[in-house]
Amino acid sequence: MRRLIYVIFALLVGVLLSSCNVTRRIPSDAYLLRRVKIVEDKEAPRDERIKSDEAIKYLRQKPNKHFLGTDFYAWIYLMANPKKDNWWNNLKRKMGEEPVLFNMNDTERSVSNLKLFLNSRGYYSSSVGFEVDTTYRRKRAKVIYSLHQGEPYRISSISYDYRDQLLEPILQTDTVNTKLKVGDMFDISALEDERERIAMYLKDRGYYNFSVNNVAFIADTLKGNREVAVKVLIKPNRIAYNQKGEAVYENNAVYRLRKINVISDYNAISIGRGPQHATAFDSLEYNGLNILFQSKKPNVRPAVLRGAIPLYPNYLYNYSQVNETYMSLMAMGYFK
């Protein structure tokens, strides 16, 4: 047992010492990207400060993983013979990571990405700086990005333009629930949340074809003083193009459930191209459900199915109820 411990210890020491020499295997004019850091704007209010863990996903280059403070994963990747394609060398490549070499182009693109990210959060007067330290450790580079948020742009007013006027009385009463508030920062993610909220609100009220693409925004910054007037556009559905190539629109329509078919013993092979092509189905009507089955009787009791399905014929289409149906059926533990 003691000998085994010595062997394991010796192997660990050998691996750690060898991984420290990873820079010997990279080109002489290259630097291993050892560390990146994002410095937050300490001058920004704490509750509005962009956190480094939010911003780091916009970087084009990130260092390799480390093991006990070493470049073990890059080292084991470089231990593979590039001229050999066998299981042993492939294992090394799979266990390791290709060394991330510092690239100035990627660093500058990271700066651009960070600036776009700050813009999307309402900081259009922001700036991003960076510093490259190649004296950090031998042939290793450290990149430090500095965020300066500046004063944010804020929403000064909110108005609506109902291009589908039939939706105006439905949505007008719902504006009290909007995620957009006067005085809030002009945050693109908040606009996206509002698009999804409006789409879900209408989908739960029968508007099956309504989607986030039917909601758009116009932002007006002409007033200056970092104020944004936001206009919410509610658009009809684009259904086709005419001979001139112009889009043809129609108002969004309300859908109702015509029939609810339940195939509790569904088998793709026996059904073939779909239930409409199957001829061996028996059916049973039970409280608004049309239960189809190929065996002598339904393999799930109709009352159990009815309890799990909150949908009835002639109900308005309701996206949330459809999802609730999926969850209820899965919770039964019978269906995959």
Side-chain angles (χ1 to χ4, degrees):
M1 183 65 181
R2 182 176 296 178
R3 179 178 296 178
L4 178 61
I5 293 175
Y6 286 151
V7 171
I8 294 174
F9 178 76
L11 287 173
L12 283 174
V13 171
V15 166
L16 294 178
L17 289 176
S18 300
S19 63
C20 292
N21 296 324
V22 66
T23 52
R24 294 181 180 178
R25 295 176 175 268
I26 64 176
S28 59
D29 59 345
Y31 290 90
L32 183 71
L33 183 62
R34 190 60 167 73
R35 187 184 178 197
V36 296
K37 181 180 180 182
I38 296 179
V39 179
E40 300 172 4
D41 187 351
K42 302 300 182 183
E43 296 181 0
R46 186 175 294 274
D47 60 337
E48 296 180 357
R49 188 178 303 164
I50 302 295
K51 304 300 182 185
S52 58
D53 56 354
E54 294 179 79
I56 198 166
K57 61 180 131 180
Y58 297 96
L59 300 184
R60 295 287 301 179
Q61 279 194 309
K62 297 174 187 176
N64 295 106
K65 291 186 297 184
H66 300 144
F67 177 68
L68 299 179
T70 70
D71 303 307
F72 170 74
Y73 293 98
W75 170 77
I76 197 170
Y77 182 93
L78 291 172
M79 288 295 291
N81 189 333
K83 297 180 180 179
K84 293 185 178 180
D85 185 17
N86 52 37
W87 72 270
W88 177 235
N89 286 281
N90 289 335
L91 178 63
K92 295 175 186 176
R93 297 185 188 99
K94 186 175 181 180
M95 290 178 59
E97 291 181 346
E98 184 176 358
V100 178
L101 304 182
F102 168 72
N103 184 295
M104 180 58 78
N105 288 334
D106 283 337
T107 300
E108 292 174 346
R109 292 174 69 184
S110 295
V111 170
S112 297
N113 288 350
L114 289 171
K115 171 58 178 167
L116 290 173
F117 168 61
L118 292 174
N119 288 352
S120 74
R121 296 292 297 272
Y123 294 99
Y124 289 92
S125 57
S126 61
S127 62
V128 180
F130 73 94
E131 177 185 349
V132 181
D133 183 2
T134 55
T135 63
Y136 171 57
R137 288 174 62 181
R138 181 179 177 275
K139 292 197 66 177
R140 291 171 171 85
K142 176 173 69 173
V143 184
I144 302 173
Y145 299 92
S146 301
L147 306 182
H148 176 66
Q149 295 175 208
E151 290 293 327
Y153 280 60
R154 296 187 182 273
I155 298 175
S156 60
S157 65
I158 304 169
S159 60
Y160 292 82
D161 183 355
Y162 295 96
R163 306 286 173 87
D164 182 344
Q165 295 182 356
L166 296 178
L167 293 179
E168 182 172 1
I170 299 171
L171 289 177
Q172 196 64 42
T173 57
D174 180 56
T175 55
V176 295
N177 298 315
T178 180
K179 293 181 177 292
L180 306 178
K181 308 292 183 183
V182 172
D184 284 356
M185 288 187 295
F186 182 69
D187 190 331
I188 298 299
S189 62
L191 300 185
E192 292 300 321
D193 289 344
E194 179 65 1
R195 293 177 77 198
E196 293 180 4
R197 191 195 68 80
I198 292 173
M200 187 63 64
Y201 180 80
L202 290 174
K203 278 181 172 293
D204 283 349
R205 284 156 180 79
Y207 290 91
Y208 174 78
N209 283 328
F210 196 92
S211 73
V212 293
N213 295 324
N214 293 91
V215 184
F217 300 94
I218 296 177
D220 183 358
T221 59
L222 294 179
K223 287 185 177 180
N225 199 29
R226 294 185 293 276
E227 293 185 353
V228 185
V230 175
K231 180 179 289 186
V232 185
L233 305 182
I234 306 299
K235 301 187 294 183
N237 271 327
R238 185 178 62 199
I239 59 172
Y241 290 91
N242 60 25
Q243 293 180 346
K244 297 180 180 180
E246 299 169 335
V248 178
Y249 294 90
E250 69 175 10
N251 287 332
N252 293 277
V254 172
Y255 285 77
R256 292 184 179 274
L257 304 182
R258 182 176 68 252
K259 198 170 188 179
I260 303 167
N261 295 318
V262 182
I263 308 173
S264 59
D265 56 353
Y266 176 81
N267 186 308
I269 297 176
S270 63
I271 290 177
R273 290 179 294 163
Q276 68 273 23
H277 299 287
T279 57
F281 279 106
D282 288 325
S283 64
L284 170 68
E285 290 286 342
Y286 184 86
N287 288 352
L289 297 181
N290 183 42
I291 302 173
L292 305 174
F293 54 95
Q294 291 180 303
S295 52
K296 294 182 179 179
K297 62 179 181 178
N299 57 348
V300 179
R301 286 184 296 142
V304 173
L305 291 172
R306 179 71 277 177
I309 301 175
L311 309 174
Y312 287 85
N314 208 41
Y315 269 28
L316 286 175
Y317 171 80
N318 186 304
Y319 180 85
S320 295
Q321 284 188 339
V322 172
N323 274 347
E324 180 185 340
T325 300
Y326 282 124
M327 298 297 292
S328 297
L329 291 172
M330 292 298 292
M332 293 171 60
Y334 181 81
F335 302 106
K336 293 182 180 179

